[in-house]
Amino acid sequence: MKRIFSSSLVAILAGLGLRLFFVLKFPADSGDAVLYEEIATNWLKHHIYGMNLNGGIVPVDLRMPGYPAFLAFIYALTGKMAIAAHIWVMLAQVLVDLLGCVVIASLAALLVSQAQGADKARTARVFTAALWLAALCPFTANYTAVVMTEVFAIFLTGLTCVAFVPLVATLRDDSAAGFLRHGTTGGFAARRRADILSAFGGLFVGWATLFRPESPMLLLIAWVVLLAAAWKRTFLTGIRLCVISGIACALPLAPWALRNAITLHEVQILTPKYSNLPGELVPRGFMAWEKTWLFRMRDCYLVPWKLEEEAIRIEDIPARAFDSSEERSRVASILDEYNKTLHLTTEEDSQFAEIARERTARHPLRTYLWIPAIRALTIWFAPRIELVPLSGKVFPLQQSWKEDPVDQCFTVGFVLLNIFYVIAAGLGALKLWRCPAARSSLALLIAFLFVRTVFLTTLETPEPRYVLVCFPIVLALAAQIFVRRDPRQDPATNYPSSSGSG
């Protein structure tokens, strides 16, 4: 049994089996899939990156081009499109996700090598542990079975961390400071190691941005940590590395920006904030009202995702959305008018904006602190069963058990598994923090987790899937708990007491 769990090949095969299980047993669909497939089909067949509108193909910038390009490549390779190509798209995503597992394991190995030094046995142990954790993680594996960008976002985020973690550690090391400024020994790769890592980090962020427009967030955080690590010693070098990574990030995005300038006559490097078509109303007032009460995924299906599509019933809106019966009546009146046409007018949106202002004025902490905090807890500790046929109901315990005990067992099990990952990652982070050599790298990773979480709480709909981009870091940190203490190490720190451990 020990030999089995120490085998990287067995871990990969287990991960392959789990992903094929999801692909074959629970292939999922999503609203975004239709849009991605439409754009990819038009791009491949008509050479227009656009949607079918008013009897023609209209160029759009609603989605970044990375995932439609991937779909178009699969379509061209297989000769199939849309639903007929789903199995091939998913199998390709399985391969990408398995590569992502190796990337996560490499990140975990990099972190432990900074803390423990060149101890091959411990590095190999953490690599294997992280590989098993990533391979058997159902939350990431599940998204290989749906036409969405999660698999690529996770993979490229992991690659970015693998590039920036050793770069930050090198800048922090006093012994490396002079080498970074004046190094002339060794081959080109050795002499320009920091520049190369910086370039690859920026390039990976650029590629990730082609799939998810918020990806540059990691690059900005890396710049802050790089400059902090280089402060008072190699600051100019830190500036140089930031410039290199910024240029590298811009390279993959340049064709997209040029296309938008030529075709749409706009300066647009990413996508519109609200993914709206030209002339389409952005319901800012409605979204501001949502942010004063909405934090559960279930409510997204009942309220915001019905907008412009279905009638919204006042009975489906939870009581916390109203501070009084008078306020509830006002909302009901607005929805009555909306439900007649299924179209939100500018006047109706303004009325929602006024209600949002009043609610915020009465309880500012609720809007700016409590709701975001609850959103953060919700997206981090959700059962993540949105792609499988489970209800996701945990409470009330007795009633949920009576309705469907099997469903509740799986849902509760996924909640507990999610909690395990987060607690294990926290313990792994504490273990790494005890070693000064790993602190800069850890600061980079923790800062990204924090900033991304804060960013996600500001979105109109708090979808738990957006947290999966953080899972390369979560799983790599969780693997650190499998490091055994060396009896030669300082018992107070669990890490080598010599100064050469970095």
Side-chain angles (χ1 to χ4, degrees):
M1 185 64 68
K2 183 178 180 180
R3 181 176 297 180
I4 291 176
F5 285 104
S6 63
S7 171
S8 297
L9 178 59
V10 175
I12 291 293
L13 292 176
L16 175 62
L18 177 63
R19 283 153 182 79
L20 290 178
F21 170 76
F22 280 120
V23 168
L24 299 176
K25 186 69 175 178
F26 299 115
D29 200 2
S30 73
D32 284 349
V34 176
L35 179 56
Y36 282 124
E37 290 170 344
E38 184 177 323
I39 292 173
T41 300
N42 288 332
W43 200 4
L44 182 63
K45 293 178 65 175
H46 305 288
H47 310 293
I48 299 175
Y49 190 90
M51 295 173 57
N52 301 320
L53 294 171
N54 302 321
I57 302 175
V58 178
V60 297
D61 60 356
L62 296 181
R63 293 294 185 273
M64 296 298 290
Y67 199 68
F70 162 71
L71 293 179
F73 173 75
I74 298 296
Y75 294 170
L77 200 63
T78 63
K80 301 179 184 297
M81 294 186 180
I83 296 177
H86 275 190
I87 184 65
W88 299 107
V89 170
M90 293 175 186
L91 290 176
Q93 291 182 164
V94 167
L95 295 178
V96 173
D97 203 44
L98 289 174
L99 286 175
C101 293
V102 177
V103 170
I104 291 170
S106 300
L107 176 60
L110 280 172
L111 291 170
V112 77
S113 66
Q114 290 177 11
Q116 295 271 12
D119 189 324
K120 293 183 179 180
R122 283 173 176 75
T123 300
R125 179 181 177 85
V126 170
F127 179 92
T128 305
L131 189 59
W132 275 102
L133 286 174
L136 297 182
C137 178
F139 307 136
T140 54
N142 198 5
Y143 274 85
T144 60
V146 64
V147 180
M148 294 179 75
T149 62
E150 264 61 35
V151 166
F152 290 91
I154 293 168
F155 172 62
L156 291 167
T157 299
L159 278 178
T160 304
C161 292
V162 166
F164 281 133
V165 159
L167 177 61
V168 169
T170 301
L171 270 180
R172 186 189 182 283
D173 187 359
D174 287 314
S175 63
F179 171 76
L180 284 168
R181 288 193 297 265
H182 310 297
T184 57
T185 61
F188 176 82
R191 287 184 285 112
R192 293 294 181 182
R193 180 172 181 268
D195 293 344
I196 293 172
L197 288 172
S198 182
F200 272 107
L203 195 62
F204 293 147
V205 171
W207 288 342
T209 306
L210 290 175
F211 289 86
R212 293 284 277 272
E214 75 275 13
S215 297
M217 183 187 308
L218 181 52
L219 181 61
L220 296 176
I221 295 169
W223 284 352
V224 172
V225 177
L226 278 172
L227 293 177
W231 185 254
K232 293 183 179 179
R233 290 178 297 171
T234 57
F235 191 71
L236 291 180
T237 299
I239 293 291
R240 186 187 79 227
L241 297 178
C242 290
V243 170
I244 290 173
S245 60
I247 293 173
C249 176
L251 289 177
L253 298 173
W256 171 247
L258 184 62
R259 175 264 181 188
N260 289 337
I262 295 174
T263 304
L264 303 178
H265 309 292
E266 62 181 12
V267 180
Q268 183 64 264
I269 299 176
L270 303 176
T271 55
K273 181 178 180 181
Y274 298 109
S275 298
N276 57 297
L277 292 168
E280 188 178 33
L281 172 68
V282 177
R284 290 185 174 86
F286 185 85
M287 292 187 293
W289 172 66
E290 288 175 30
K291 290 180 181 180
T292 66
W293 62 270
L294 188 147
F295 61 81
R296 294 188 309 179
M297 184 73 171
R298 189 184 310 167
D299 297 327
C300 296
Y301 290 100
L302 297 175
V303 184
W305 287 352
K306 285 186 174 182
L307 194 65
E308 302 291 317
E309 298 282 345
E310 302 176 47
I312 300 174
R313 302 192 314 155
I314 191 69
E315 296 82 6
D316 290 335
I317 303 176
R320 65 177 179 278
F322 315 109
D323 287 341
S324 65
S325 57
E326 185 270 337
E327 185 178 296
R328 188 178 189 277
S329 298
R330 288 170 62 191
V331 172
S333 176
I334 301 171
L335 291 179
D336 285 343
E337 293 301 315
Y338 158 78
N339 288 336
K340 292 177 183 178
T341 61
L342 300 185
H343 174 69
L344 189 72
T345 65
T346 302
E347 181 182 356
E348 291 163 355
D349 189 56
S350 298
Q351 291 174 8
F352 274 117
E354 179 61 28
I355 295 174
R357 283 191 292 270
E358 293 172 3
R359 287 173 59 83
T360 300
R362 284 193 297 270
H363 303 287
L365 288 180
R366 176 179 61 189
T367 299
Y368 298 120
L369 180 60
W370 302 126
I371 293 297
I374 299 173
R375 282 186 168 200
L377 288 173
T378 301
I379 60 178
W380 270 102
F381 296 103
R384 308 190 192 285
I385 45 79
E386 56 268 17
L387 297 184
V388 291
L390 297 172
S391 70
K393 286 183 64 177
V394 177
F395 302 102
L397 290 173
Q398 187 174 4
Q399 180 181 338
S400 298
W401 177 263
K402 288 181 178 179
E403 291 176 355
D404 194 334
V406 175
D407 186 303
Q408 191 192 30
C409 284
F410 274 102
T411 301
V412 171
F414 281 178
V415 170
L416 295 177
L417 181 61
N418 199 83
I419 293 172
F420 163 75
Y421 286 140
V422 174
I423 292 177
L427 293 175
L430 288 174
K431 201 166 190 178
L432 287 173
W433 189 258
R434 289 177 168 180
C435 180
R439 287 180 183 172
S440 291
S441 299
L442 188 60
L444 169 66
L445 302 180
I446 297 300
F448 174 67
L449 297 181
F450 176 77
V451 173
R452 183 168 180 82
T453 300
V454 172
F455 167 74
L456 294 179
T457 64
T458 67
L459 298 182
E460 299 76 53
T461 52
E463 295 187 58
R465 68 185 176 97
Y466 293 140
V467 171
L468 293 178
V469 174
C470 300
F471 265 59
I473 297 172
V474 170
L475 295 172
L477 291 176
Q480 305 304 314
I481 67 175
F482 294 93
V483 180
R484 291 178 178 174
R485 183 176 70 85
D486 190 326
R488 297 170 297 177
Q489 293 170 341
D490 183 352
T493 63
N494 277 0
Y495 287 100
S497 57
S498 64
S499 58
S501 63

